Amino acid sequence: MTIFSPLDDQSPIILTVPGLGGSGPSHWQTLWEQSRPDTHRVELGMWDTPHRNAWVTKLDQAIRQAQAPVVLAAHSLGCLAVAWWAELAGQPFGWPVAGALLVAPADVDRSAAPSELDAFRPAPAKPLPFPSILVSSSDDPWIAQDRARGLAKAWGSLFVDAGPQGHLNAASGIGWWEEGQVLLDRVLDAASDRTGKVRSAAEARSLLAINATDAAQAHYLGASA
């Protein structure tokens, strides 16, 4: 199943979580939001002057209002909003957030981080209570890849190296970002068995690791899945 397949009653709601400045018309999040009716943006507000508690509150409201299993597709500082939501919400594994695709997280702890990121430091370091994939580029100006790997390890996320593609945004020229769509598919498959049953933590992470590794090989490393 892909994110462009016909909807079914058991499919999670997909919520996109943009980062600093929001996501413009050519950003993959915006393009995904336009691709199907179950994908919606979380309007965090204060896009240029973000406040951690305000963003976490807005994200929590959007998750609660979805009234369905939720899969988050976050970018940059939006990944930190997701991590802080998980830190503060205390949800059981897999519900109401059933999974997340975390793309190009911003390193809020680096010495050169802009002051707008101050409210989000230090980055949470606890495992996320849902299966997740963290994707990072090898030349992302907002985070060193070793740091991205460290966040993935701390959060219990499967790490995917996207190669040299900048901040994985509109400026990266990735358009609809088909590789990301495939990885989101893997999160959706790991989140539930499509009958509404949430997978166990062990089952979800095992399935995610197998499938996402295949996706990474096929789309980033040039090997067949």
Side-chain angles (χ1 to χ4, degrees):
M1 180 175 179
T2 73
I3 67 169
F4 295 107
S5 296
L7 305 183
D8 62 71
D9 292 339
Q10 305 300 336
S11 293
I13 298 297
I14 301 166
L15 297 180
T16 61
V17 188
L20 184 67
S23 296
S26 299
H27 195 285
W28 58 266
Q29 286 181 316
T30 305
L31 298 175
W32 289 9
E33 291 156 15
Q34 296 168 351
S35 71
R36 57 183 284 174
D38 66 346
T39 301
H40 310 281
R41 175 169 301 191
V42 180
E43 293 296 342
L44 300 173
M46 304 171 65
W47 292 115
D48 297 319
T49 55
H51 188 277
R52 187 197 72 187
N53 290 348
W55 272 26
V56 169
T57 298
K58 290 284 190 179
L59 178 56
D60 186 70
Q61 291 172 347
I63 291 168
R64 306 300 169 182
Q65 291 170 2
Q67 297 183 337
V70 171
V71 165
L72 303 172
H75 180 257
S76 194
L77 192 60
C79 299
L80 275 297
V82 170
W84 272 113
W85 177 87
E87 177 93 1
L88 299 171
Q91 76 157 34
F93 187 86
W95 188 271
V97 174
L101 177 65
L102 306 170
V103 181
D107 184 2
V108 297
D109 296 315
R110 74 190 192 279
S111 59
S115 59
E116 290 87 350
L117 309 189
D118 286 352
F120 292 82
R121 64 177 55 162
K126 293 181 181 178
L128 301 175
F130 40 78
S132 59
I133 296 174
L134 190 154
V135 188
S136 183
S137 166
S138 59
D139 60 354
D140 190 329
W142 286 81
I143 191 168
Q145 197 166 60
D146 285 349
R147 173 59 173 159
R149 289 182 182 274
L151 286 178
K153 183 177 180 180
W155 294 346
S157 305
L158 186 79
F159 180 80
V160 172
D161 180 353
Q165 297 197 77
H167 196 42
L168 290 168
N169 54 10
S172 298
I174 55 179
W176 294 88
W177 194 33
E178 294 180 3
E179 295 90 348
Q181 296 166 21
V182 172
L183 293 175
L184 179 61
D185 254 4
R186 297 327 198 243
V187 176
L188 290 169
D189 287 338
S192 75
D193 64 2
R194 304 291 183 170
T195 68
K197 179 184 177 182
V198 177
R199 299 188 192 277
S200 69
E203 182 183 17
R205 286 174 177 147
S206 176
L207 182 62
L208 188 66
I210 294 169
N211 284 343
T213 298
D214 288 346
Q217 289 175 343
H219 292 274
Y220 288 117
L221 304 181
S224 59

